[in-house]
Amino acid sequence: MMLVNGQPSDSVSALDRGLSYGDGLFETIRFENSKAPLWGRHMQRLALGCERLRIPMPDGELLRQEAQQVSAGLREFVLRITLTRGLGERGYAPPAVAAPTRIVAAFTMPTISNALYIHGIRLHRCKTMLADQPLLAGIKHLNRLEQVLARAEWNDPAIGEGLVCDYRGNVVSATAANLFAVVDGKVVTPAVNRCGVAGVARGAMLDALPDCQVRDLPLDEALSASELFLSSSVRGILPVQAVGDTVYAPGPVVRAMQQHWCVLGFPTEQA
Amino acid sequence: MMLVNGQPSDSVSALDRGLSYGDGLFETIRFENSKAPLWGRHMQRLALGCERLRIPMPDGELLRQEAQQVSAGLREFVLRITLTRGLGERGYAPPAVAAPTRIVAAFTMPTISNALYIHGIRLHRCKTMLADQPLLAGIKHLNRLEQVLARAEWNDPAIGEGLVCDYRGNVVSATAANLFAVVDGKVVTPAVNRCGVAGVARGAMLDALPDCQVRDLPLDEALSASELFLSSSVRGILPVQAVGDTVYAPGPVVRAMQQHWCVLGFPTEQA
């Protein structure tokens, strides 16, 4: 079920600026036992995105009510909130008074084999590189062609994600998840102030890893890691089993983070 | 009037990938006397975008028929064709078989004072800079947040456009038009292989200016030009009167290009 500006609907105006220019933001929020353990973080990131794009932030309580309404009794689901700048005349100039479009929709949880949580996920090394754009980095906006191009690079179902770099030779993330590496015994995750998304699960992991370094992570350094793992607000914490032909084994850090994921309120999805 | 996949409609699915990810392309095509003098160039650029994003190109004859249908007897109008990858499941992976969404809509021509064609247009110097992304440069895709941010920088109606640079200090274009400069007696227009859009009017001007240099154009060099002018498939050829406080006078090159614009089939819009 779906709500558009609070009304049951599955369509939006063909003149919506979300469609015309990708002028908006989104969040995908996992619900478990009818609760969203990371709700507050999602709202924080949405608010940051609204501030950056100067779109009025919707009321959080309203979004909560609409989430409940579209879930239609589901206890496990993924909520997608899409917020656009609303209807627009032709042309890039934002309307003086924005009347945002708010789409709230529930989707069934994707099925992910438990083997991936135990043994890890295989990554394709993407040729698509992310552009540096500090004005848009970190937030979850609707301009996602880079991710679409990166994800289109493979269709082998045995490969679950792609490793994506920037043009400076640093690893940024997977196509739809953040990345952590254990290098020389230290946990590192790429900075996302020039490109990439500041994932909500990443934020939760960083709180649990106060010594984690947030910095540029050159590809060679990432590939030489003793552990690699992904964080995603929908898929949780996934060890990386391989990047191309380079193989990794799940180690103690990813196992600790998987346990932390359970502490946050998500189910046990690992060995 | 508007057609969505050939049917009269003013809405699209809220699950369209054009809305979810900006996963698509568009063209805005000016019709004059019920004819679109640059139609062929628009179709060429759309085809290039389709190839780059691997979206099937719609039949050109079908688009022509739909353009006629939505124009509803208008002789002067702007046609917007939006082409998306169509419906998608949640997630960046493009569907194995794309069923694109095709939106064809007619808009009235914007009113532009003839004084702007005679004396020129004033430009704001945008702080928003464009990211280098060769994979998306040149084509007219739906990821336009950079342009929205740049255009949002001013709302003085006396300022008609913005001058936008890349992060390397080169001028790229206006927010919704290409730029030409006359420097030391040579015509120069910025290359658009790292960012920017390969404008259809720009292409027509380049054909008429065989000696035009297509290269990086440092901001200082652009500001020192003896002439600056903009090209837009909708607005035509506009002299630049000022960039911030720096003033320019229309010169012989922009006048020749305005004449060429008429030869192409557009009305006389200059002194």
Side-chain angles (χ1 to χ4, degrees):
Chain A
M1 191 201 169
M2 217 181 297
L3 292 171
V4 177
N5 291 331
Q7 301 300 316
S9 171
D10 55 8
S11 65
V12 296
S13 165
L15 301 179
D16 196 280
R17 290 175 62 98
L19 177 68
S20 299
Y21 306 128
D23 191 5
L25 301 155
F26 71 112
E27 292 289 334
T28 49
I29 308 177
R30 179 168 168 183
F31 277 71
E32 193 60 39
N33 278 325
S34 307
K35 289 199 179 72
L38 301 179
W39 180 269
R41 289 180 186 274
H42 284 287
M43 290 303 111
Q44 274 171 23
R45 183 174 60 186
L46 186 60
L48 181 70
C50 283
E51 196 184 316
R52 202 86 77 79
L53 300 187
R54 289 191 254 172
I55 294 176
M57 172 73 183
D59 179 61
E61 194 45 47
L62 177 69
L63 291 174
R64 256 196 196 286
Q65 287 167 14
E66 293 186 346
Q68 199 172 8
Q69 206 177 329
V70 297
S71 70
L74 285 174
R75 295 176 61 79
E76 277 77 52
F77 62 99
V78 177
L79 188 80
R80 176 166 165 143
I81 298 172
T82 308
L83 184 74
T84 82
R85 205 182 302 273
L87 283 186
E89 296 291 301
R90 225 182 44 73
Y92 295 128
V97 180
T101 302
R102 187 176 76 253
I103 307 166
V104 177
F107 298 87
T108 52
M109 260 296 290
T111 316
I112 302 166
S113 160
N114 203 47
L116 296 180
Y117 293 101
I118 300 170
H119 304 299
I121 188 170
R122 284 176 56 195
L123 307 193
H124 164 77
R125 234 172 95 175
C126 293
K127 289 183 196 77
T128 301
M129 287 179 276
L130 302 180
D132 278 7
Q133 180 47 284
L135 299 172
L136 298 174
I139 63 175
K140 205 162 168 86
H141 55 71
L142 295 175
N143 278 200
R144 292 292 158 207
L145 271 172
E146 290 179 329
Q147 282 71 26
V148 171
L149 290 180
R151 184 57 189 81
E153 287 186 29
W154 81 96
N155 53 25
D156 177 351
I159 298 177
E161 256 291 6
L163 188 73
V164 190
C165 291
D166 63 23
Y167 281 95
R168 287 169 286 116
N170 300 307
V171 169
V172 180
S173 61
T175 68
N178 287 105
L179 179 116
F180 289 80
V182 182
V183 180
D184 296 332
K186 307 273 187 203
V187 191
V188 187
T189 193
V192 290
N193 53 345
R194 292 196 275 195
C195 53
V197 175
V200 153
R202 172 182 180 272
M205 293 305 108
L206 281 174
D207 277 3
L209 292 165
D211 295 332
C212 180
Q213 299 171 4
V214 179
R215 60 165 169 87
D216 281 351
L217 177 60
L219 176 62
D220 286 353
E221 196 182 338
L223 293 178
S224 75
S226 59
E227 284 186 53
L228 281 178
F229 62 96
L230 304 184
S231 66
S232 152
S233 59
V234 171
R235 290 174 289 173
I237 310 302
L238 282 157
V240 172
Q241 187 186 61
V243 180
D245 296 333
T246 313
V247 175
Y248 302 86
V253 180
V254 67
R255 293 305 183 212
M257 290 304 101
Q258 288 181 321
Q259 282 183 7
H260 183 63
W261 187 248
C262 294
V263 170
L264 291 172
F266 295 105
T268 311
E269 285 163 334
Q270 77 280 3
Chain B
M1 192 202 171
M2 216 181 297
L3 292 172
V4 177
N5 291 331
Q7 301 300 316
S9 171
D10 55 9
S11 65
V12 296
S13 166
L15 302 179
D16 196 279
R17 290 174 63 99
L19 178 67
S20 300
Y21 306 126
D23 191 5
L25 302 156
F26 71 111
E27 293 290 333
T28 47
I29 308 176
R30 178 167 168 185
F31 277 71
E32 194 58 38
N33 277 325
S34 308
K35 288 201 178 72
L38 301 178
W39 179 269
R41 289 180 187 272
H42 284 287
M43 291 301 111
Q44 274 172 22
R45 183 174 60 186
L46 185 61
L48 181 69
C50 283
E51 196 184 316
R52 202 88 76 80
L53 301 186
R54 290 191 254 172
I55 294 175
M57 171 74 184
D59 179 60
E61 195 44 47
L62 177 68
L63 291 174
R64 256 195 196 284
Q65 287 167 14
E66 293 185 346
Q68 199 173 9
Q69 206 176 333
V70 297
S71 70
L74 285 174
R75 295 176 62 79
E76 276 77 50
F77 62 99
V78 177
L79 188 80
R80 177 166 164 141
I81 298 172
T82 307
L83 184 73
T84 82
R85 205 182 303 274
L87 284 185
E89 295 292 300
R90 225 183 42 72
Y92 295 128
V97 181
T101 301
R102 188 178 73 252
I103 306 167
V104 177
F107 298 87
T108 53
M109 260 298 289
T111 316
I112 302 166
S113 158
N114 203 46
L116 296 180
Y117 294 100
I118 299 170
H119 304 299
I121 188 171
R122 283 177 55 195
L123 308 193
H124 165 78
R125 232 172 97 175
C126 293
K127 290 184 195 75
T128 302
M129 286 179 275
L130 302 180
D132 277 7
Q133 178 48 283
L135 298 172
L136 298 174
I139 62 174
K140 206 163 168 87
H141 56 71
L142 295 175
N143 279 201
R144 291 293 157 205
L145 272 173
E146 291 180 327
Q147 283 71 27
V148 171
L149 291 179
R151 184 58 190 80
E153 288 187 28
W154 81 94
N155 52 26
D156 178 351
I159 297 178
E161 256 292 4
L163 187 73
V164 190
C165 291
D166 63 23
Y167 281 94
R168 288 170 285 115
N170 301 308
V171 170
V172 181
S173 61
T175 68
N178 287 104
L179 178 117
F180 289 79
V182 181
V183 180
D184 294 333
K186 306 275 186 199
V187 190
V188 186
T189 192
V192 291
N193 54 343
R194 293 196 276 197
C195 54
V197 175
V200 154
R202 173 182 180 270
M205 293 305 108
L206 281 175
D207 277 3
L209 291 165
D211 295 330
C212 180
Q213 299 172 4
V214 179
R215 59 164 169 87
D216 282 352
L217 177 60
L219 176 62
D220 286 352
E221 197 182 336
L223 293 177
S224 75
S226 60
E227 285 187 53
L228 282 178
F229 61 96
L230 305 183
S231 66
S232 151
S233 58
V234 172
R235 291 175 288 172
I237 309 304
L238 283 157
V240 172
Q241 186 185 62
V243 180
D245 296 332
T246 313
V247 175
Y248 301 86
V253 181
V254 66
R255 294 304 183 213
M257 289 304 101
Q258 288 182 322
Q259 283 185 5
H260 183 62
W261 187 248
C262 295
V263 171
L264 291 171
F266 295 106
T268 310
E269 285 162 333
Q270 76 279 1

